[in-house]
Amino acid sequence: MSSIAIFGLDFTSAPSIRKPITCAVCELRVTTLRIQACLSFAQFDAFEQFLQRPGPWLLACDFPFGQPQKLINNLGWPFAWPDYVATVHAMGKALFNQTMISYSRKRLAGDKLHLRLADKLAGAISPMMMYRVPVGKMFFEGAPRLLRSGVSVLPCYPQPDTRVVVEGYPAIVARRWLGRRSYKSDERARQTLEQRQARIELLDAICSDALDAAYGVRIDLTEDMRQRLIDDPRADQLDAVLCAIQAAWAYHQRSQNYGIPPGFEADGWIVDPLLLQLHKASRSKK
């Protein structure tokens, strides 16, 4: 195949016109990732329709596909991903929120919000988090929709389908060049010139040879698209592009299970060369 459609998705648990789900539409031709457009889904219906696009394509989504196995075991949920995701969906939003908050309140300090191994390696927050950055709500809204769509969800639910979805985490890409510097904010009062400068520096990095060295791809984008990514203080479009970079890397690893190590079928895995490297290093020490 000379090229394949690659998508990167910046997700939200409550899409709206002001804060939509944002999708970077790209084409990967050998090692060149061309950023073609950024789509906005102000409603979940639009996201669900997008998932029905005929394949082949590969999509990286910025939300946790699974929950920590410790939580699954303690709540008595089914172990297999499709079964416990169906259980969560059947609970409904209110009961799910109540269940997660109540569970955390009953735990001792330091053991309230569990982490998956991928979260620990990535420096990500717990997929149980229901406030501030409510990735637990993102899981509730996102994972059941992936399950219902019939796509191949890796590594949780592989299917004989050319529509392939993996879990991304744009912060890993950004931190490679920015460290912990902030480059975005959803709150207008917290949007700064320093964040804009950080976005410029990040774009300079991913448009340089440094991206090829780290991810094995080169970015091709128009000056207009580059300016749009700089001018978006929430960085929803930029985060979607960073997810697309991870998706492109994963596609090049498809003969090695898309860069996903074995054993994470229940809780999921974030695709990124750094995580794979850290996982291999931790295994070699045992």
Side-chain angles (χ1 to χ4, degrees):
M1 183 180 297
S2 59
S3 67
I4 185 170
I6 295 287
F7 304 114
L9 194 86
D10 181 65
F11 196 72
T12 173
S13 62
S16 64
I17 293 175
R18 193 190 75 83
K19 178 69 174 176
I21 297 170
T22 303
C23 181
V25 179
C26 313
E27 177 191 45
L28 179 63
R29 186 176 293 274
V30 192
T31 60
T32 299
L33 184 67
R34 187 162 72 93
I35 315 300
Q36 299 173 312
C38 282
L39 305 178
S40 296
F41 307 138
Q43 298 177 329
F44 281 125
D45 286 353
F47 172 55
E48 293 169 7
Q49 291 170 12
F50 170 80
L51 291 174
Q52 297 305 319
R53 283 192 176 201
W57 49 253
L58 178 62
L59 162 68
C61 296
D62 178 23
F63 67 84
F65 290 179
Q67 289 293 329
Q69 293 186 28
K70 185 174 183 178
L71 174 74
I72 296 168
N73 293 338
N74 288 345
L75 289 180
W77 289 350
F79 179 76
W81 182 84
D83 297 334
Y84 80 75
V85 167
T87 296
V88 164
H89 178 64
M91 292 170 69
K93 184 186 300 185
L95 181 56
F96 174 74
N97 290 0
Q98 178 185 337
T99 298
M100 298 293 274
I101 293 171
S102 175
Y103 175 89
S104 294
R105 282 177 179 166
K106 294 175 183 177
R107 308 292 298 182
L108 296 175
D111 192 35
K112 293 180 177 292
L113 297 171
H114 310 318
L115 295 168
R116 307 172 298 168
L117 179 58
D119 303 318
K120 294 177 183 177
L121 297 178
I125 62 177
S126 168
M128 297 169 56
M129 179 74 79
M130 302 298 289
Y131 49 91
R132 291 203 297 270
V133 183
V135 289
K137 295 179 181 180
M138 295 181 196
F139 160 77
F140 175 83
E141 298 291 358
R145 286 182 164 87
L146 293 181
L147 177 61
R148 294 198 304 272
S149 72
V151 300
S152 183
V153 184
L154 301 181
C156 305
Y157 196 49
Q159 296 296 299
D161 200 292
T162 58
R163 299 167 300 150
V164 179
V165 182
V166 293
E167 183 177 335
Y169 184 47
I172 305 175
V173 188
R175 287 173 192 159
R176 185 181 287 269
W177 289 286
L178 295 180
R180 293 282 178 170
R181 289 169 58 196
S182 173
Y183 64 98
K184 62 179 180 178
S185 178
D186 284 345
E187 300 177 38
R188 181 171 297 180
R190 294 177 178 270
Q191 295 166 357
T192 66
L193 289 175
E194 288 79 11
Q195 290 172 343
R196 179 185 174 86
Q197 181 58 36
R199 291 194 296 275
I200 292 173
E201 293 178 26
L202 180 53
L203 275 163
D204 286 344
I206 66 174
C207 290
S208 73
D209 292 342
L211 185 71
D212 188 22
Y215 288 90
V217 296
R218 294 179 181 274
I219 288 287
D220 176 17
L221 77 168
T222 64
E223 185 57 38
D224 178 66
M225 177 62 70
R226 175 188 170 90
Q227 200 61 47
R228 284 176 59 188
L229 299 178
I230 292 171
D231 291 342
D232 176 12
R234 296 196 305 261
D236 296 336
Q237 297 173 78
L238 180 53
D239 280 346
V241 168
L242 299 183
C243 278
I245 290 170
Q246 291 176 315
W249 174 82
Y251 181 75
H252 284 153
Q253 309 300 313
R254 61 193 182 281
S255 62
Q256 287 83 44
N257 196 34
Y258 292 83
I260 303 171
F264 297 94
E265 293 77 14
D267 47 0
W269 183 261
I270 298 167
V271 296
D272 193 276
L274 178 60
L275 258 68
L276 190 58
Q277 177 186 340
L278 292 173
H279 180 261
K280 288 179 178 177
S282 66
R283 297 279 295 177
S284 65
K285 292 178 181 178
K286 295 182 179 179

